[in-house]
Amino acid sequence: PTRCGGESVNEEAMMRKAWFMLGVVLTTAGCAEDAAPPRDAGAAMSEAEVVAIGDSAAVALSQALMSRVQAALRDSGAVHAIELCNEVALPLTAAVQDSLPGGLALKRTSNRIRNPANAPDALEEAALAYFHEQLQGGGPLPSHFVQRTDEGWRYYKPVVIADFCTRCHGPAESIEPGVRRVLAERYPQDQATGYAPGDFRGVIRVSIPDAARGSH
């Protein structure tokens, strides 16, 4: 699972590493395809290809977002981190998406959203339900979930809460007053509090069109 945090890192270095990882995965998939018996040009990608491409794209987005949040927390505190997320999270997601090859599309979503723009659609609700059902059944959190769609595939990588995430996502009574004030101002319908470290927070969704295979 993608953890909502980690060690403080240089954002530019993390982005370069993420793009390199994605390039290696796509190059390897292409070489494996060249060695395999030829398939119809319109044939769907294998699930293994979907997982490899989707996971690398999800990691790229997670690293880009978390490096920004960690820097804000470290340099200016939780109030600034909330303001930064409000102003930067969606544009940064779009920027990472635009940097990825193959027409991939990225989104973060949850059953308990903070930003209404991240509300789940029907397919995303089904994916979120899958992760919740696995946890309620006593099993570990799965590393991913995939769906076949008319256009290609959707890959989902779960996100879990790290210790420092609770400064903005923990129980309401434990969040500092300044953070509660900014949350009320910027997210009046906020549902994303009450979490503890290790809780399942939501998913990063990567939409992968069938044409993506042929573009690498």
Side-chain angles (χ1 to χ4, degrees):
T2 294
R3 183 165 291 275
C4 184
E7 296 299 323
S8 294
V9 293
N10 178 271
E11 180 182 352
E12 183 178 353
M14 291 295 286
M15 289 289 284
R16 287 198 302 267
K17 179 181 177 183
W19 303 150
F20 173 78
M21 290 169 57
L22 182 60
V24 169
V25 169
L26 296 174
T27 300
T28 302
C31 291
E33 184 177 337
D34 290 342
R39 290 180 283 186
D40 293 339
M45 286 186 290
S46 70
E47 188 166 324
E49 290 173 309
V50 170
V51 171
I53 294 172
D55 193 70
S56 292
V59 167
L61 176 58
S62 178
Q63 291 180 337
L65 289 169
M66 288 305 102
S67 62
R68 293 292 292 270
V69 171
Q70 286 179 286
L73 285 170
R74 181 184 65 244
D75 298 338
S76 306
V79 169
H80 179 62
I82 288 291
E83 293 171 341
L84 178 106
C85 283
N86 178 261
E87 297 167 1
V88 171
L90 288 176
L92 184 57
T93 298
V96 172
Q97 175 179 297
D98 291 344
S99 299
L100 296 172
L104 307 185
L106 304 176
K107 180 181 175 182
R108 297 173 302 120
T109 190
S110 172
N111 292 122
R112 292 158 59 183
I113 57 171
R114 173 155 287 172
N115 189 334
N118 293 329
D121 62 22
L123 287 177
E124 292 159 355
E125 288 178 347
L128 290 163
Y130 165 79
F131 288 108
H132 284 296
E133 288 167 3
Q134 298 303 306
L135 291 172
Q136 291 170 359
L141 183 65
S143 63
H144 66 275
F145 179 68
V146 296
Q147 294 167 329
R148 187 76 176 101
T149 71
D150 291 339
E151 295 77 25
W153 295 82
R154 284 186 173 192
Y155 171 90
Y156 299 87
K157 188 174 185 68
V159 176
V160 299
I161 293 288
D163 288 344
F164 82 81
C165 297
T166 59
R167 294 180 65 181
C168 303
H169 291 285
E173 63 273 13
S174 70
I175 296 175
E176 62 185 81
V179 174
R180 292 202 303 269
R181 175 182 55 78
V182 173
L183 286 174
E185 291 172 355
R186 301 209 174 204
Y187 303 104
Q189 297 179 317
D190 182 31
Q191 304 170 31
T193 58
Y195 288 99
D199 284 352
F200 172 56
R201 169 75 183 98
V203 296
I204 295 175
R205 188 217 74 207
V206 184
S207 293
I208 308 171
D210 283 329
R213 174 217 271 159
S215 65
H216 303 293

